[in-house]
Amino acid sequence: MPEGPSIVILREAAAKFAGRRVLSVSGNSTQDIQRMRNLTVVAVRSWGKHFLLEFPRFSVRIHMLLFGSYRIDEDKGTPPRLSLAFSKGEVLNFYACSVRFLEGDLDDHYDWSGDVMSDDWDPAAARRKLRARPEALAADVLLDQNVFAGVGNIIKNEVLHRIRVHPESTVGALPARKLGQLVTQARDYSFDFYHWKKAFQLKKHYQVHTKTICPRDGTRLSYRKHLGAAQRRAFWCDTCQRFYG
């Protein structure tokens, strides 16, 4: 599943379609996708893992789910879920994704301050949300899109290793300094992810995700296929990541 930084990269690549009129629409989505035909894209936006095309009076939300992908000005050779054609032969294609329409103003649907990569990101609000969930695991709250929109499993594993916190630590047991680091690094690592991915170097920078040895102390990493309420893969070091709880 693409994480927030990957969606920001998509948003930047698709920004050229803002202000452009959709000439034709196709795809195997069951939604009423033809309603976009002959309309002008007002803005290209994103929130967390959601890619958003804003039109007058409504927007279309694309969620990549587990296996979604996109192509700009080319096709993948498989039927798209949604394809928008513009002038000069330009096209925006989405595959194996969720397509949903959001009526009215996007501000009524999204809290932009909850997106870790947004200019409106509010770390104080994130800390308040975390303090309201003292029994939750650190691994689970990082994946909660209501707190950290855009954070996915790679970022979760890497942030917890970076701040030396065991994934099964409870939020209420974290010292204030560690709680602050968790909030800060959720955003900082997301931007590191963004820069590394744009440079095609993301996997080279993994410290624990999909790895077997901790680069910090040489200890063999622990792994669990399903951890926490989210039941996502977890990689961590029992030597340098302290358990709080």
Side-chain angles (χ1 to χ4, degrees), residues 34-46:
Q34 292 302 325
R35 68 188 295 195
M36 292 180 280
R37 188 166 63 88
N38 290 327
L39 294 185
T40 297
V41 177
V42 174
V44 178
R45 306 176 71 178
S46 66

Side-chain angles (χ1 to χ4, degrees), residues 121 123-134 136-138 141-142 147-148 159-160 163 165 169-186 244:
W121 163 248
R127 287 193 292 271
R128 287 194 296 271
K129 293 173 186 175
L130 292 176
R131 284 194 289 269
R133 299 182 56 191
L137 301 186
V141 293
L142 276 167
V147 184
F148 299 109
V159 163
L160 290 174
I163 67 173
V165 169
S169 298
T170 57
V171 170
L174 292 178
R177 180 173 64 88
K178 287 297 178 185
L179 191 69
Q181 289 176 353
L182 187 147
V183 172
T184 297
Q185 288 303 322
Y244 297 89

Side-chain angles (χ1 to χ4, degrees), residues 139-156:
D140 284 330
V141 293
L142 276 167
L143 294 175
D144 187 340
Q145 300 302 290
N146 290 319
V147 184
F148 299 109
V151 169
N153 209 45
I154 297 171
I155 297 173
K156 175 207 78 179

Side-chain angles (χ1 to χ4, degrees), residues 27 82 101 161 180 198 219 235:
L82 175 65
F101 287 101
H161 182 261
K198 289 194 74 172
T219 302
F235 301 83

Side-chain angles (χ1 to χ4, degrees), residues 79-93:
R81 185 63 42 82
L82 175 65
S83 178
L84 302 179
F86 300 82
S87 62
K88 303 177 184 176
E90 293 177 301
V91 65
L92 182 55
N93 290 322

Side-chain angles (χ1 to χ4, degrees), residues 6 21 30 34 48-49 62 84-85 90 105 132 134 142 175 178 188 195 210 217 229-230:
S6 297
R21 184 166 65 92
T30 58
Q34 292 302 325
K49 301 176 184 179
I62 305 294
L84 302 179
E90 293 177 301
D105 194 324
L142 276 167
K178 287 297 178 185
D188 288 355
H195 292 298
T210 70
D217 52 44

Side-chain angles (χ1 to χ4, degrees), residues 210-221:
T210 70
K211 301 297 184 179
T212 56
I213 302 297
C214 176
R216 194 150 50 206
D217 52 44
T219 302
R220 186 168 186 84
L221 294 172

